[in-house]
Amino acid sequence: EVPLYAVSAEASLSYLLPNIEVHRALNNAGLSDPALSERVATNLNAGVSRLQSLQNTDGGWSWWGQSEQSDPYVSAYVLFGLTRAQKVSEAVNQETLNRAAAYLQGVQAQNEISDNTSGADLDEAVFIQFALSQAGSTDPDRADGLYAARDRMSPASRALLASIVNAVNPADPRVRELVNNLETDAIRTASSAHWETPPQNLLRRGSPVYTTSVVVYVLAQLDPANQILLDAVRYLNAHRDARGLWNIGHENAWAMIALNEAMIGIGDLRSDFSYSASLNGSPLTSGDVNGIQLEPLKANVALDFLSPASPNLLTIQREDGLGRLYYNVVLKVNRPVQDVQPINAGMGIERAYCDPSLTGGQSPQCTPLTALKLAPDQRVTARLTLTLPNDAYYVMVEDHIPAGMEV
């Protein structure tokens, strides 16, 4: 069988790029992962060769094979990836990069920024300029034009714009302004932060995971001490699926690239500290971190050891040293159902029972019933209303039917 990614430039790069980034990060920190190094060595040259063979005659790439017209976004994505791959592999042909840059510069010349440029088109224009700047072709005039239209961009594009402006002049105050704007626009919870793309900007890449990943990638380079970066890292970690991934290859790639860049920016690759944890004075766990802790340490305490009548003191102590200590505390307890009160954890749900005979079964109206005498063939409609203020993943709503009834 031919692998799915064999004829897809986007899928080929989405598989290759995260491996390259993590490999570079570990090697630059003097660390090694033999399995990862072997995987990169095995796939890098073949992956680069495949991408170069898929380049169209105009210098760009299509979503699939060479049979379609070159797509500006995919072309910019591949240029960005090959630019990163060139740092660890001699297999990347400089002529390939030059042809890609020339194609993208031609696309830019045909699409001037104006007051009528849509948000989706601005997002594509920013990503093209970002890829070019990463390849050493920053255009200050283009950056100025994009900055003037920043209010119509998605959060991801404003983050990439900050990277572009920083490449032109790291001392430019507009970099700080764009970062501050991202902080203001973040959607925060008690323990996380993320960004969402406005509906008019969605196009091909508008999921909260993608948008948040791009912001994390840029913030980790420009402002790694920002607390919102850590909150966004928590969001990305919390929205993985059962396989530890996110969604499609493109989204997986950006999430892993972002987390890798955050690991570098925050300084976790250079961690060197001791830690301990205790509960109500009794030791739970302790250890030393030197470099990177790949496996988490777990400690469990039975409910019997917790006091129901007084506060329970969990003490986590970290000694001086480089790096950050990450921990997660979960309390699992069953309560008598009559004592459980409704909670609001970011979503709301309401249930109403209605008599469909009152509206002929067709009306969207649902007048809640407080009492109803049931006949053997009596129909009752249960209507659930779920309210989500923001996008959510892996949400399941389960409602049990009243006793004695059938669906």
Side-chain angles (χ1 to χ4, degrees):
E1 293 182 347
V2 178
L4 179 63
Y5 55 78
V7 293
S8 170
E10 178 273 319
S12 296
L13 182 60
S14 292
Y15 172 79
L16 191 63
L17 189 52
N19 289 284
I20 294 173
E21 292 298 289
V22 176
H23 177 70
R24 287 184 58 242
L26 293 178
N27 285 351
N28 291 342
L31 304 171
S32 65
D33 183 332
L36 175 62
S37 297
E38 181 180 356
R39 187 164 68 246
V40 170
T42 301
N43 295 312
L44 182 57
N45 289 348
V48 169
S49 177
R50 182 184 304 114
L51 286 167
Q52 292 182 152
S53 70
L54 292 172
Q55 189 174 29
N56 291 329
T57 55
D58 62 4
W61 283 266
S62 310
W63 281 94
W64 292 97
Q66 294 177 297
S67 60
E68 300 178 12
Q69 183 179 358
S70 292
D71 181 271
Y73 175 77
V74 172
S75 301
Y77 182 46
V78 177
L79 174 61
F80 167 68
L82 289 179
T83 301
R84 306 296 288 179
Q86 191 181 43
K87 300 179 184 299
V88 296
S89 172
E90 297 179 356
V92 180
N93 189 318
Q94 183 61 43
E95 179 60 23
T96 299
L97 302 184
N98 293 342
R99 290 175 58 209
Y103 164 76
L104 292 172
Q105 288 166 340
V107 171
Q108 280 192 335
Q110 297 172 12
N111 297 280
E112 291 297 325
I113 305 300
S114 70
D115 293 341
N116 297 322
T117 305
S118 68
D121 289 340
L122 284 171
D123 288 347
E124 186 165 276
V126 169
F127 191 81
I128 290 173
Q129 183 55 45
F130 167 74
L132 287 170
S133 70
Q134 294 290 296
S137 299
T138 303
D139 184 344
D141 292 336
R142 187 72 169 182
D144 291 343
L146 291 169
Y147 182 82
R150 64 192 181 280
D151 291 341
R152 303 199 302 279
M153 297 176 184
S154 71
S157 292
R158 291 199 298 275
L160 294 175
L161 180 59
S163 177
I164 295 167
V165 174
N166 185 75
V168 176
N169 178 14
D172 194 321
R174 293 180 297 179
V175 176
R176 185 69 252 172
E177 180 184 338
L178 288 164
V179 170
N180 290 342
N181 181 267
L182 289 170
E183 291 184 64
T184 302
D185 288 350
I187 300 171
R188 297 174 179 267
T189 67
S191 61
S192 71
H194 74 281
W195 291 263
E196 296 179 3
T197 295
Q200 62 270 22
N201 291 51
L202 285 180
L203 198 61
R204 299 187 188 99
R205 49 200 179 279
S207 77
V209 168
Y210 169 82
T211 304
T212 301
S213 296
V214 173
V215 176
V216 166
Y217 177 78
V218 174
L219 285 181
Q221 299 173 53
L222 301 183
D223 193 7
N226 197 320
Q227 177 61 40
I228 203 168
L229 173 63
L230 295 176
D231 294 341
V233 166
R234 291 193 191 97
Y235 176 87
L236 292 177
N237 279 311
H239 285 79
R240 294 178 294 174
D241 61 21
R243 299 173 299 156
L245 299 174
W246 289 265
N247 195 357
I248 58 176
H250 178 256
E251 193 168 276
N252 286 328
W254 271 108
M256 287 185 278
I257 294 169
L259 291 174
N260 179 73
E261 200 67 30
M263 180 175 63
I264 297 171
I266 293 170
D268 287 340
L269 285 173
R270 305 186 305 275
S271 295
D272 184 13
F273 60 86
S274 300
Y275 65 90
S276 62
S278 62
L279 179 64
N280 292 332
S282 299
L284 282 178
T285 186
S286 62
D288 299 298
V289 177
N290 185 6
I292 187 169
Q293 179 77 36
L294 294 177
E295 294 295 329
L297 297 179
K298 297 182 179 181
N300 297 298
V301 177
L303 204 58
D304 295 342
F305 290 89
L306 297 179
S307 171
S310 59
N312 293 275
L313 180 62
L314 173 63
T315 303
I316 299 175
Q317 186 167 351
R318 176 195 176 285
E319 304 297 335
D320 290 339
L322 295 174
R324 295 177 184 269
L325 174 65
Y326 297 86
Y327 63 89
N328 187 35
V329 182
V330 178
L331 174 64
K332 295 183 179 180
V333 58
N334 294 322
R335 298 178 59 189
V337 66
Q338 63 269 22
D339 295 341
V340 177
Q341 298 298 317
I343 62 172
N344 186 343
M347 62 179 67
I349 188 166
E350 296 179 352
R351 177 182 59 198
Y353 291 115
C354 315
D355 184 352
S357 65
L358 298 178
T359 58
Q362 302 298 320
S363 172
Q365 299 298 321
C366 177
T367 303
L369 296 170
T370 56
L372 178 69
K373 184 176 181 180
L374 293 176
D377 59 349
Q378 177 72 52
R379 290 180 176 271
V380 174
T381 296
R383 171 164 294 177
L384 302 180
T385 302
L386 177 65
T387 303
L388 290 171
N390 303 299
D391 288 356
Y393 289 80
Y394 315 119
V395 174
M396 181 177 71
V397 176
E398 185 177 32
D399 185 46
H400 296 281
I401 63 174
M405 303 190 76
E406 297 177 355
V407 173

